Amino acid sequence: MSRRSIAALSALCAGVAALTVSVSFADPVDEALEIDGVEMITRAPAPEGHPFDEVLSGWLFREAETRATQADSFENPGMLSVERGADVWETVDGTMGKSCASCHDDAAETMKGVGARFPKWDADSGKPINVELQIDKCRVENMGAEAYKFDDPDQVALTAYIKHQSLGTPVKLDLSEGEMQSWWEKGKQSYYTRTGQLNLACASCHEASMGKYIRADHLSQGQANGFPTYRFNTAGMVSLHNRFRGCVRDTRAEMPKAFSDELMALEVYVTWRGTGLSVETPAVRQ
Amino acid sequence: MALNRRHVLALAAGAAVVPALQMLPGRAMAAPEEASKLISDFAGGKEVQSGKITLTAPEIAENGNTVPISVEVESAMEGDDMVAQVLILADGNPSPDVATFNFTALSGSAAATTRMRLAKTQNVIAVAKMADGSVYMDKKEVKVTIGGCGG
Amino acid sequence: MSAAPKPRVKIPKKAKAGEVVVLKTLISHEMESGQRKDKDGKPIPRKIINKFSCEFNGQPVFSCDIDPAISANPYFEFSAKVNESGTFKLTWVDDDGSVYTDEQKIEVA
């Protein structure tokens, strides 16, 4: 590394350290989120063994304008992706001449509640499976179509559409299936392991510093219940693994591959940390 | 993005640089003077008054990429009492032009809402031109913060 | 989102004569400002929706001349005074000349 970039890096580290030390804390708002008449659970008692007493949605940590954008399902730009997902659902793809709808009919009925229970155990692969990978599995095995490339806009749209059918449903995983428990353990270990040149773990921000500010971002609990999420930052939809990778990149560590064992384990654990919160997909965040 | 000293200084100083509006090299950021000139051009020699128009913008923008703004002009929107246009400017963006709303008698009310990009903390300016040529202005400072990280 | 821009429009289906209704419109579009650079440092060319307009039964209601400072997935909320039943037509014009439209009827009693 050149001297100049070492200097720059030290300045950044000092900056981050200074900013995390000069603490300002703000309570998340005390407000209810209702979307299209459906009351969202944004606060819930934490499950057994959770470090917090209460699990909180990231929605509570955002500014009023951001919160308002999510509360209106028309104004929510994430719904553009959900609509695209609805189109993909009906589109025939692959050698077998089928669409999602061919087998799964009306998603509003068949996918209701489904998004709240992923990731699940997949006996075929011997690993946890999330919505994105389940879509790929269906495409390859039942449609004769190709698996999506990670973060293909259609993958994100379809995942958002499917999860949106569970809007309001509390997140609840079944950790007794297969080896989910041991993957939960691996995910937990990752969550608390510091990585990167900035030596930060997920817990550094989302547990130890929850409620504090990192620069001007109000740190939430880092929940997964709103993904794929519409982020103002990128003015687009962000998938969960994209977000994981982004956070790891920002600790200046090498990013794990999307859907790698490491990130699948992390997804199991992080999803569990939000047990009881409503699925908010597509959430709106900064 | 690659970390370079300019980025670090910008970050450390708390200045926000929204990627969509990052400067091209060698081009100065728009000065409020450029915005002032656009306002006087729009006003066409008429005095720019305060009143009648209200600009609503957040005090702090959570992210400079998407800042909701609204304008409303007191007007019956019929007969002689009509709003022709509302010009929206941002005096600290690379280019101050944001949008021009064009109203008609069928608008019913001279009110509109949109979402805009702000490259840094600056003033958002709304200037209404009435059908009789008179001009009114409102201005709000919006603080643009830089986020933490991720994604 | 890189599929064809898709409009999304919310307009009441019914109104009373003389009522002022609120229209909300969104269209998926990246609104590439022309200020960003790619990984090699080359400027990414501007490509935005530069005009949005609304007509009712062929008459102009509201329009917006749009600059790159309008956010991605441009959102416009405005009003219209309806005196008779008819059709709203929304039009978005892209820098590249593409035109996107959407229509919605309203019943006015």
Side-chain angles (χ1 to χ4, degrees), chain A residues 62-270:
Chain A
R62 307 274 57 89
E63 294 285 333
E65 292 82 17
T66 310
R67 296 198 306 274
T69 309
Q70 181 176 339
D72 185 321
S73 73
F74 179 82
E75 290 182 27
N76 182 341
M79 290 302 291
L80 287 167
S81 183
V82 168
E83 284 195 344
R84 179 176 174 166
D87 287 342
V88 174
W89 182 265
E90 304 280 341
T91 305
V92 168
D93 199 4
T95 59
M96 302 189 203
K98 292 208 189 129
S99 66
C100 310
S102 307
C103 295
H104 292 292
D105 248 341
D106 182 9
E109 277 178 36
T110 58
M111 294 293 119
K112 191 166 170 62
V114 164
R117 296 193 291 271
F118 273 87
K120 293 182 163 192
W121 184 250
D122 180 50
D124 292 336
S125 61
K127 293 181 186 186
I129 190 168
N130 59 17
V131 173
E132 288 91 337
L133 291 178
Q134 180 66 63
I135 290 169
D136 279 346
K137 191 177 182 195
C138 274
R139 283 175 62 82
V140 170
E141 292 176 12
N142 303 324
M143 290 168 66
E146 277 178 27
Y148 283 123
K149 260 183 75 171
F150 171 59
D151 269 356
D152 183 309
D154 283 344
Q155 178 188 60
V156 179
L158 195 52
T159 303
Y161 176 63
I162 289 168
K163 292 202 74 174
H164 183 68
Q165 306 312 317
S166 298
L167 187 74
T169 307
V171 168
K172 183 119 175 60
L173 299 186
D174 184 356
L175 294 177
S176 69
E177 290 183 321
E179 287 161 48
M180 287 292 273
Q181 189 63 41
S182 76
W183 283 77
W184 180 96
E185 296 284 349
K186 274 192 285 199
K188 179 176 175 180
Q189 207 173 16
S190 286
Y191 196 85
Y192 288 97
T193 302
R194 290 176 177 272
T195 63
Q197 290 162 337
L198 296 188
N199 208 31
L200 295 169
C202 313
S204 310
C205 289
H206 293 296
E207 189 172 306
S209 304
M210 188 268 298
K212 296 179 190 161
Y213 282 84
I214 185 162
R215 298 198 203 107
D217 256 357
H218 194 191
L219 285 169
S220 69
Q221 292 183 347
Q223 299 290 1
N225 63 309
F227 281 88
T229 289
Y230 188 84
R231 285 201 69 191
F232 290 156
N233 200 12
T234 46
M237 292 296 274
V238 174
S239 65
L240 183 61
H241 285 229
N242 182 305
R243 195 64 168 91
F244 283 158
R245 280 162 53 86
C247 281
V248 172
R249 180 204 62 209
D250 290 341
T251 71
R252 321 283 320 158
E254 279 189 27
M255 296 187 282
K257 277 180 89 92
F259 311 134
S260 58
D261 287 358
E262 184 181 340
L263 288 191
M264 288 308 296
L266 191 59
E267 179 169 355
V268 171
Y269 180 69
V270 171

